Amino acid sequence: MGLDDRKLDVLRAIVEDYVATQEPVGSKALVERHQLGVSPATVRNDMAVLEEEGYIRQPHTSAGRVPTDRGYRLFVDRLSRVKPLTPAERRAIERFMIGAVDLDDVVHRTVRLLAQLTRQVAVVQYPSLARSSVRHLELVPISTTRLMLVMIADTGRVEQRLVELPAPITADDVTDLRRLVNERLGGQKLAETPPLVQALIDEVAPGLCPAMTTLATVLMETLVERHEERIALAGTANLARGGLLDFQGSLRPILEALEEEVILLKLIGEVEPNTLQVRIGDENEIDNLRATSVVSTGYGPGTTIVGGLGVLGPTRMDYPGTIATVRAVARYVGDVLAQN
């Protein structure tokens, strides 16, 4: 890479000052604000090298410099110091999460909390059914020919379907069906249930075969075929907080991208266990988001990842603080899911 420690210190100082002030950074300001131990002339020379190497650039409007995507990437990979959460921030997360009453509440509290703490756009994926297991299946008789099927996943997700039976059945029949489907499917990964559902038809008493055949069709739809993913979004107004150099002057393409759930899932849904991703500027595959950075990670109970969460904002982002917050919130959400 060819940059010595002094030039790396200059780059770190430029990134930190630009993130803090939203103003292009000059050599005089760097010398005044940071203990670099060298003259403004030396800093100017170092800045010239950093510019030549593509780590900083000069906007037309100013004599100062701003980091490039390449400069931010080097900062995140090598120069940023992890910024621990303050005790007040930790207490705020605990207080915010502790009163959640159900999964919807957990997700909505999480996305609001992330947006407030990072002052960026926050995105949280609901726990994915594709990664979930069956906790319980309930059959609620509505009439002699109609049942409500309620599937509760281990992540707290609840799916409901109406089952129209081909002929009337008794309350005892419903009890038998409920017992059998829970014995065979309880605790199973949703992705592994199709052969088990098919086998249910052969296991019931002959008189219940038509009812189980219909129920099996709805079970397949509920457990396997309808894996639509849901997303919660908060803090879009935070995009307007930035300076003139953020987003190259137009928010419209970013706002349009944020309206597409498929794009949001691509941003935060493709996560590996114990991995935090930082995508900066052109590293984003989506054209409309090339002026942004995305910090994302997976969350779930224990070591199980059931969904992704993260934040999106300008490349001029407080990376150490944002990374620490995203990690901490993901950990707290995983703890909440594990307890419930």
Side-chain angles (χ1 to χ4, degrees), residues 35-113:
Q35 305 298 313
L36 296 172
V38 291
S39 67
T42 303
V43 171
R44 277 196 298 277
N45 289 336
D46 289 343
M47 289 173 75
V49 173
L50 289 168
E51 189 169 6
E52 198 175 303
E53 295 282 329
Y55 295 107
I56 59 175
R57 64 183 177 84
Q58 180 178 23
H60 329 293
T61 53
S62 164
R65 303 294 188 276
V66 301
T68 62
D69 291 353
R70 191 176 183 212
Y72 285 125
R73 170 48 64 195
L74 184 60
F75 175 79
V76 168
D77 289 348
R78 286 195 49 193
L79 304 177
S80 58
R81 305 177 181 98
V82 175
K83 186 189 289 183
L85 295 189
T86 66
E89 286 169 330
R90 290 190 181 283
R91 283 196 300 274
I93 294 174
E94 285 175 26
R95 275 201 308 272
F96 211 80
M97 299 303 298
I98 208 161
V101 294
D102 58 20
L103 183 65
D104 273 329
D105 198 14
V106 169
V107 170
H108 285 110
R109 282 170 183 254
T110 302
V111 79
R112 292 203 313 274
L113 180 65

Side-chain angles (χ1 to χ4, degrees), residues 136-152:
H136 182 69
L137 290 158
E138 188 56 62
L139 296 176
V140 182
I142 296 172
S143 71
T144 56
T145 59
R146 181 179 283 184
L147 300 174
M148 177 66 76
L149 167 67
V150 183
M151 191 280 293
I152 304 168

Side-chain angles (χ1 to χ4, degrees), residues 137-190:
L137 290 158
E138 188 56 62
L139 296 176
V140 182
I142 296 172
S143 71
T144 56
T145 59
R146 181 179 283 184
L147 300 174
M148 177 66 76
L149 167 67
V150 183
M151 191 280 293
I152 304 168
D154 60 344
T155 53
R157 261 188 85 160
V158 177
E159 298 285 315
Q160 298 182 34
R161 302 285 183 272
L162 209 54
V163 185
E164 300 282 358
L165 300 171
I169 63 172
T170 67
D172 287 344
D173 291 336
V174 175
T175 301
D176 289 343
L177 291 173
R178 182 190 298 119
R179 177 187 52 75
L180 184 60
V181 296
N182 277 292
E183 281 177 2
R184 297 294 180 267
L185 303 176
Q188 299 292 335
K189 289 276 184 195
L190 269 65

